[in-house]
Amino acid sequence: MLATFLSSTPVLQDSWRLCSLANTAATVVTDHVRGVAYVAFPGTVMPSGGANLVALDAAPDGLFPPLQQRQHEDPPMIHAAIVDHFRSFYTSTTFHNQILAEIDKSKAVVMTGHSMGGAVASLSALWLLSYLQSITSSLPVLCITFGSPLLGNDSFLRAILRERWAGNFCHVVSNHDFIPRLFLAPLPSLSAHHAHFVLQFWQLLMNVLQSDSETAKIFGFLLPYIQGWVANMEEECVKSPFSPFGNYLFFSEEGAVCVDDAAAAGKMLELMFTKASPGSSIEDHLKYGDYTEKASWQLLMRKSFTLGEPPESSYEAGLALAVQSCGLANQESISGPAKECLKMAKRVNRLSPHLNAANLSIILSKNVPYRTQIEWYKASCDKSDDQMGYYDSFKLRGASKKGAKINMNRCLLAGFWDNVIHMLESNQLPHDFLKREKWVNASHFYKLLVEPLDIADYYRTGMHLTHGHYLKNGREERYEIFDRWWKGREVGNEENNRRTTHASLTQDSCFWARVEEARDWLDQIRSESDMRRSAMLWQDIENFERYATRLVENKEVSMDVLAKNSSFTLLMEELQDLKSKSQQFPPQFPAFLNGEMVP
Amino acid sequence: MGETVGNLIGLNDEVIHPAATLAVEAHNSQSKQFLVKKIKIRHDHSSVVVLAFSGSMFPDDWLGQPPFGKTKIDTGKFPSLTSLNDGGDAVVNGSFLGRFNGVLDKLSHDKELKKAIEKKRQVVFSGYSSAGPIAILATLYFLENRTLSPRCLTFGSPLLGDRIFGHALRREGWSDYFTHFVMKYDIIPRIMLSPSSTEHAQILNYFKSKFDRKNINPAPPSGFYLTVMGNASSVASYEACHLMGCRNPSLDIIKSFIELSPYRPSGTYVFCTGNGNLLVVKNPNAVLQILIHCTELGESNTAEVEKRSLDEHSAYLSELKECLGMQAVVSLDGGPATATLNDLGLSPQAMLCLQAAEEFENRRSRNLEKIGKYLEKIEVELEMLRKYKENAQISGLGYYDSFKLQNEDDDFRANVRRLELAGMWDEIKEMLKEFELPDEFEKKREIIDLGTKYRRLVEPLDIANFYRHSKDKETGAYVIGGGPRPKRYRFTQRWLEHQEKKPFGSRSESLFWADVEQLGIDIKKKGYLQEIKDRIHQLERNMIAWIDVDKSLDKDVLLEKTTFVKWWRDLPIECKSESERIEKLIGEKAAGV
């Protein structure tokens, strides 16, 4: 159904119109239709470079910061030559200005391109998405490619899924078009045994748009090879490193199908290709105009089952219709696997994202008692006679039952929130989830309350000795994600509230980690003999001091920080002590330790 | 069989054809804004008064501002046409609304209509083509006023309102009063699903000249069909994606790139299949799918269908005569109506969409069952909190302050209860927002009562928690605009206000503590400005009304040790306006305990 919706909208036709223009002009072409900016990249410009993968981190000088490699994962890799090609656009000064100017005057942006231009459009869209994320803009971006080659590996796909950007990409692939299938054959073997293919590959890619007979000959050579690979995919253990990402919209003579699952899309690329001939493969690479136009009327044309008895359930009927739309219904050998494949793509989930979100509030309410117990714990620690505050109480806790219980709660809550993040990243929650104040607030308060305990536990168990300090090495990823959510929320009419009383929770959840680091520096200074090193340490400590002072003066710390025996107070006293002993630094202390601020 | 159209739509069969005839006549009448006619019903000798409106085929009378001429409905005239859960007011076509406003004055002073109301006769508002929306609005206007309970019949009417409009109609239980007859290929009922365009003007101008000069047949326009129906089919396939539970995020991303028509069908639709059969459909999602899919091009070519789409708009009278004579009626909601659906020529894909529409309704009923179980749990929890409140009163502190201090184990347990309740109400809220519960849900008495009870008892605890943690520093004051006040309280308050026909924001007794707390904070910050004094006076007046008049606020706020009493007694005397009465209330409370 999504395919029908997509093709009934004018977006596809407008994109293709502009792509043809870009191809003819061989430059980037932009246009405005009803407030939407269209940017089309030409498919006729020749890239240079080899056909191998490069790691994303190394490649484009951090063009896509959100897609960086994560721990314990393979690095996201993309096609080297395509990145180079993209960079040739990117580094030209007009590119930036052109695109940023378009953004300013439009309510939405479509990046599009045919063939090679499609791959460049994908990268541009990724760059734009990264850029928009950095300025927390929610301008809608859509990337529509026509017959674009595959771009990146499996980690690349996962990185995009994690950012929930997959939905912004729609790759249109016509029936037998060979370009999107080109990299299904594994590259290493391509370059090793068929060196001449690689040499002629780019030549081919360019010439194909002019459709001369020479290319047809080369291609006739190449096609059986790819098809052979595709057919034997099951047996061969070497798999292509490339993986599709985003939505794939397959056009056939019979209709259209939209697939968003990467594995299913890959399989469909293979299946629909099995009956291709050299002629049809090249022709289909050029025929997108026809396909898009025909598809736009698709819904108005009546379709009926062409073969067999009517299916039993509506689910089966839906599948049969989808197979027919791929134009595979009459091909006995393929229609079976195609059906399986589409079934996989549909993977009926009983709950819609909205109901998932609704259900999640129930689970949240079940988890909330854990949080309230921690709040309770904090309050009781803050009031207790030892005046340590809950950070230190938790850090130095003995074998008390209470402490263990709180520690348990801390772990349970972590599990809950990790699950929320997982659901979000795997697209099980509504698109506007992060616009809901309830969740952003809840995650924020969770972070403020529980992260100090995590820090306490980190230093309590001595992790910092083996792994380094918390801030750089120990911080759980979820807190960073929550930071982003909190920063990205829509800030309303924020009056500049001066706090009159102390915050109930310290507003910087990493405060204690900074305290621990400062303590470490202080210890180092004592034993440091090298003047230069020690001066640097002093610099760090002063920075910390300024930071802490600001927080305290703005009353953004909670009472426990200023408790008489908290490690912060102790640290400050020690620091003052050390400073007064050392003559080279004139004392420059704010008044906050003179007693009246300490309760 | 045995069912007649009349039975299914709750109106005597003898009324339908005369109403259609009058509607067509009135539509072309230039001089009068509406025509009135009394129809005698043969078998019980009662009479029905039909009132039909005139229409206009000027393109400007159809679409004011491109692309869709959207206008928020005037909630002064139509207070019910709004969402009770943040969905905003209903949106209608502004041009039609404007034309209705133009006729309203004359309508409300019409003698024959007054007489019909006096004699308690059944009134039917009827409209053909562009007069259809006027008839709908007139019917709604009288339904809102409760002066009479009219019916509405339209023939080939364009769409008028959006999804909220239909939702509000069903919520109020009015949906069954509206019946729309639509011919299989008629373009007009579908035209509003497509944005305003030259094609629109072409079609309307064609009809205009056709109606104006009855003898000359103007040349029909051509080439509009694919554009108009193409856009309309976008709407249908978008909705079908939702019905089928499509989870692909692209769906909504793409939606932001195009402008889909906001208009959706509402009320009961009767489709004339073209061979004498009638199909009655009440499920609005199914109506939309049938509207689009039954026009699918089969073997016949586009030009032919294009011509039929125009011709059928002026063929209602003859077609209805035939259909009403045969009474071959099938209701889609009564079960599988495959034969009739085949008459409409629906493809397998269309059948799938219809099944999805039906399944969506089933899902809503299932959700309602699930919520039913919650309601029991909510009752139990509320009872526990009520006991907590009683105990807190005995201690002399009141439960607000006792909860805010969180000194006892009981306070802690109450906090956990509060959060469990919040989870359940939030789930209900989430489902309502996504239309996952039946439309009447927010109109059910027991639901509103439970919501009110919950709000009055638990919201003070939320406020206590909010100010206990000084969350106002992070998110701003509790009540301000779209501020941090949880939506579950906003909704439940809105339900009650709607039921009592009171303006939005008038039932804010559960916000009493938030007002007190915020005033305290603002006084510290700004001192006793005039604005603050006004707010104090307002608070005092509200409090007296809530406590004394409608008893919606419990007297435990008057306990001597509460935040309120302490704060209020500390106020300088010139800031108080109801000093004596409140002191008296406090005294009474103290004596009572």
Side-chain angles (χ1 to χ4, degrees), chain A residues 131-425:
Chain A
Y131 170 74
L132 291 174
Q133 193 187 63
S134 72
I135 58 168
T136 56
S137 153
S138 57
L139 183 84
V141 176
L142 189 62
C143 174
I144 296 179
T145 73
F146 298 92
S148 157
L150 294 176
L151 193 56
N153 68 351
D154 209 39
S155 305
F156 180 64
L157 159 76
R158 275 204 300 277
I160 289 175
L161 282 177
R162 203 161 40 218
E163 291 299 324
R164 304 203 297 158
W165 286 343
N168 300 57
F169 292 85
C170 177
H171 306 289
V172 183
V173 173
S174 67
N175 218 357
H176 293 158
D177 184 359
F178 75 102
I179 299 285
R181 279 99 176 176
L182 203 53
F183 297 142
L184 284 176
L187 280 168
S189 68
L190 196 67
S191 47
H193 305 298
H194 304 265
H196 62 287
F197 284 161
V198 185
L199 288 175
Q200 283 172 332
F201 170 69
W202 295 121
Q203 195 67 37
L204 171 75
L205 201 59
M206 292 310 111
N207 288 349
V208 75
L209 293 170
Q210 285 125 42
S211 214
D212 64 40
S213 58
E214 189 62 22
T215 37
K217 220 163 41 190
I218 304 170
F219 185 66
F221 219 52
L222 191 53
L223 178 72
Y225 172 72
I226 300 175
Q227 266 179 345
W229 251 108
V230 167
N232 295 328
M233 202 76 113
E234 304 298 315
E235 294 105 70
E236 306 278 344
C237 43
V238 192
K239 280 203 76 174
S240 162
F242 286 96
S243 172
F245 69 96
N247 294 292
Y248 269 76
L249 184 61
F250 294 102
F251 277 136
S252 77
E253 300 294 330
E254 303 288 331
V257 166
C258 190
V259 177
D260 70 340
D261 180 84
K267 193 83 188 148
M268 286 304 291
L269 278 174
E270 293 167 22
L271 288 171
M272 286 176 71
F273 196 48
T274 38
K275 285 283 150 67
S277 68
S280 69
S281 320
I282 297 179
E283 216 174 86
D284 274 353
H285 187 57
L286 305 170
K287 259 187 14 187
Y288 283 97
D290 291 354
Y291 277 117
T292 46
E293 194 181 340
K294 225 175 79 187
S296 64
W297 307 334
Q298 193 199 105
L299 189 67
L300 301 177
M301 308 295 173
R302 181 172 315 151
K303 276 180 291 184
S304 53
F305 285 109
T306 44
L307 83 166
E309 62 267 44
E312 295 135 37
S313 71
S314 61
Y315 179 62
E316 286 286 315
L319 276 180
L321 259 183
V323 173
Q324 195 188 331
S325 299
C326 312
L328 296 178
N330 289 322
Q331 302 167 23
E332 291 290 333
S333 58
I334 315 170
S335 68
K339 206 165 167 177
E340 285 305 307
C341 171
L342 289 170
K343 213 183 240 173
M344 174 166 87
K346 269 188 119 168
R347 53 167 199 284
V348 214
N349 191 317
R350 291 180 59 85
L351 286 179
S352 78
H354 292 297
L355 290 184
N356 269 334
N359 208 356
L360 210 56
S361 16
I362 292 282
I363 305 177
L364 174 68
S365 77
K366 294 213 172 91
N367 275 284
V368 138
Y370 303 135
R371 202 192 75 197
T372 26
Q373 273 165 2
I374 298 183
E375 275 172 20
W376 176 269
Y377 174 76
K378 175 176 186 297
S380 71
C381 288
D382 290 356
K383 269 184 289 189
S384 78
D385 299 333
D386 54 15
Q387 299 208 15
M388 290 205 296
Y390 87 128
Y391 174 79
D392 290 284
S393 309
F394 187 74
K395 189 177 162 193
L396 305 172
R397 69 177 191 267
S400 80
K401 216 172 145 193
K402 198 159 140 199
K405 174 101 178 77
I406 293 305
N407 197 24
M408 173 81 109
N409 287 352
R410 182 179 68 90
C411 298
L412 286 169
L413 283 172
F416 167 75
W417 283 105
D418 280 345
N419 185 35
V420 171
I421 292 173
H422 171 75
M423 283 173 83
L424 187 73
E425 287 184 347

Side-chain angles (χ1 to χ4, degrees), chain B residues 573-588:
Chain B
I573 189 73
E574 71 273 14
C575 290
K576 302 181 198 175
S577 61
E578 300 281 351
S579 186
E580 276 173 37
R581 276 197 74 181
I582 292 179
E583 274 301 347
K584 191 170 151 249
L585 283 170
I586 296 174
E588 278 169 18

Side-chain angles (χ1 to χ4, degrees), chain B residues 265-514:
Chain B
S266 60
T268 306
Y269 269 72
V270 181
F271 289 93
C272 309
T273 58
N275 52 8
N277 292 337
L278 292 175
L279 176 69
V280 180
V281 188
K282 292 190 173 175
N283 178 337
N285 290 308
V287 170
L288 180 70
Q289 297 302 327
I290 294 178
L291 267 180
I292 303 308
H293 283 288
C294 77
T295 63
E296 276 173 0
L297 303 169
E299 290 72 43
S300 47
N301 64 32
T302 317
E304 203 177 303
V305 176
E306 186 167 78
K307 188 164 175 305
R308 281 188 77 177
S309 75
L310 295 175
D311 290 348
E312 289 200 347
H313 187 55
S314 32
Y316 278 90
L317 290 182
S318 55
E319 177 76 16
L320 275 178
K321 195 160 194 178
E322 189 192 341
C323 294
L324 292 170
M326 282 170 57
Q327 288 290 0
V329 188
V330 176
S331 164
L332 184 68
D333 309 286
T338 325
T340 319
L341 288 175
N342 281 342
D343 278 351
L344 283 170
L346 294 184
S347 65
Q349 185 150 24
M351 292 300 222
L352 283 180
C353 295
L354 288 184
Q355 267 170 4
E358 193 190 330
E359 177 54 28
F360 181 68
E361 291 301 319
N362 295 341
R363 192 166 81 213
R364 300 219 283 186
S365 322
R366 282 200 301 275
N367 287 339
L368 183 64
E369 273 172 38
K370 186 178 161 199
I371 294 299
K373 286 182 203 138
Y374 281 180
L375 299 181
E376 290 164 25
K377 263 193 240 160
I378 290 175
E379 287 278 8
V380 174
E381 296 282 323
L382 284 181
E383 181 55 28
M384 303 299 270
L385 280 179
R386 204 187 51 73
K387 280 190 189 135
Y388 166 70
K389 183 176 173 179
E390 259 172 25
N391 291 338
Q393 201 172 150
I394 294 166
S395 76
L397 205 53
Y399 83 134
Y400 178 83
D401 284 280
S402 145
F403 187 83
K404 199 176 168 195
L405 290 173
Q406 288 277 327
N407 277 338
E408 306 294 325
D409 282 357
D410 265 357
D411 303 326
F412 176 72
R413 276 195 286 278
N415 199 10
V416 174
R417 286 225 161 79
R418 169 184 77 90
L419 292 159
E420 277 169 5
L421 281 166
M424 287 190 263
W425 282 101
D426 278 349
E427 178 158 5
I428 294 178
K429 174 202 86 182
E430 233 14 90
M431 285 181 154
L432 281 172
K433 212 173 128 213
E434 296 306 322
F435 300 94
E436 289 281 354
L437 287 172
D439 294 306
E440 323 77 72
F441 185 80
E442 292 155 290
K443 223 9 205 181
K444 290 191 173 170
R445 230 214 136 78
E446 67 270 23
I447 305 279
I448 299 173
D449 288 349
L450 189 63
T452 307
K453 190 168 156 194
Y454 165 67
R455 182 168 59 91
R456 286 181 185 160
L457 189 64
V458 187
E459 186 162 18
L461 300 185
D462 268 280
I463 298 170
N465 189 58
F466 185 86
Y467 284 99
R468 176 174 125 82
H469 291 292
S470 311
K471 289 194 191 173
D472 57 306
K473 300 295 188 308
E474 279 122 42
T475 52
Y478 183 80
V479 258
I480 286 177
R485 183 183 187 199
K487 291 220 170 67
R488 50 183 181 272
Y489 298 123
R490 278 180 223 201
F491 287 3
T492 44
Q493 182 181 337
R494 194 83 181 81
W495 297 347
L496 183 69
E497 284 159 2
H498 181 70
Q499 189 195 34
E500 296 182 345
K501 303 243 167 278
K502 292 217 172 112
F504 184 51
S506 57
R507 288 311 229 131
S508 55
E509 65 273 357
S510 57
L511 287 173
F512 172 78
W513 283 110

Side-chain angles (χ1 to χ4, degrees), chain B residues 217-240:
Chain B
N217 263 334
S222 63
F224 64 85
Y225 192 76
L226 287 180
T227 315
V228 173
M229 290 309 290
N231 284 319
S233 73
S234 292
V235 179
S237 47
Y238 174 75
E239 289 295 331

Side-chain angles (χ1 to χ4, degrees), chain B residues 73-336:
Chain B
I73 200 146
D74 169 8
T75 41
K77 278 197 193 81
F78 304 98
S80 298
L81 296 186
T82 177
S83 156
L84 297 184
N85 51 46
D86 266 14
D89 297 336
V91 164
V92 294
N93 182 323
S95 306
F96 294 145
L97 184 63
R99 291 217 358 255
F100 166 72
N101 287 333
V103 74
L104 178 61
D105 186 48
K106 194 137 185 273
L107 186 66
S108 43
H109 292 105
D110 186 69
K111 278 185 199 135
E112 289 178 75
L113 184 61
K114 275 187 182 161
K115 206 168 118 194
I117 296 172
E118 259 166 44
K119 299 205 166 173
K120 297 206 158 56
R121 288 196 173 118
Q122 174 71 66
V123 175
V124 174
F125 291 105
S126 134
Y128 162 67
S129 191
S130 63
I134 319 293
I136 298 174
L137 288 169
T139 312
L140 276 172
Y141 179 77
F142 286 99
L143 283 170
E144 293 273 15
N145 278 343
R146 321 247 153 164
T147 39
L148 78 167
S149 153
R151 299 302 159 107
C152 176
L153 291 177
T154 75
F155 307 90
S157 161
L159 296 178
L160 169 69
D162 68 346
R163 190 177 187 179
I164 301 288
F165 182 86
H167 162 74
L169 245 59
R170 288 186 294 281
R171 186 188 63 220
E172 301 299 319
W174 295 339
S175 189
D176 287 348
Y177 300 159
F178 298 82
T179 307
H180 311 289
F181 287 87
V182 171
M183 299 275 286
K184 185 177 169 189
Y185 285 103
D186 184 359
I187 190 88
I188 297 295
R190 288 134 178 135
I191 199 168
M192 286 301 164
L193 292 172
S194 171
S196 121
S197 56
T198 46
E199 285 85 359
H200 261 92
Q202 264 179 6
I203 298 169
L204 297 177
N205 282 327
Y206 163 74
F207 281 117
K208 187 166 150 358
S209 46
K210 193 171 171 188
F211 291 146
D212 284 353
R213 291 164 289 160
K214 277 177 191 139
N215 297 325
I216 308 160
N217 263 334
S222 63
F224 64 85
Y225 192 76
L226 287 180
T227 315
V228 173
M229 290 309 290
N231 284 319
S233 73
S234 292
V235 179
S237 47
Y238 174 75
E239 289 295 331
C241 283
H242 272 295
L243 289 176
M244 292 179 180
C246 172
R247 308 192 299 119
N248 194 324
S250 315
L251 188 58
D252 289 305
I253 296 177
I254 294 164
K255 193 179 166 250
S256 55
F257 283 81
I258 48 170
E259 287 225 55
L260 283 181
S261 166
Y263 303 120
R264 299 289 180 271
S266 60
T268 306
Y269 269 72
V270 181
F271 289 93
C272 309
T273 58
N275 52 8
N277 292 337
L278 292 175
L279 176 69
V280 180
V281 188
K282 292 190 173 175
N283 178 337
N285 290 308
V287 170
L288 180 70
Q289 297 302 327
I290 294 178
L291 267 180
I292 303 308
H293 283 288
C294 77
T295 63
E296 276 173 0
L297 303 169
E299 290 72 43
S300 47
N301 64 32
T302 317
E304 203 177 303
V305 176
E306 186 167 78
K307 188 164 175 305
R308 281 188 77 177
S309 75
L310 295 175
D311 290 348
E312 289 200 347
H313 187 55
S314 32
Y316 278 90
L317 290 182
S318 55
E319 177 76 16
L320 275 178
K321 195 160 194 178
E322 189 192 341
C323 294
L324 292 170
M326 282 170 57
Q327 288 290 0
V329 188
V330 176
S331 164
L332 184 68
D333 309 286

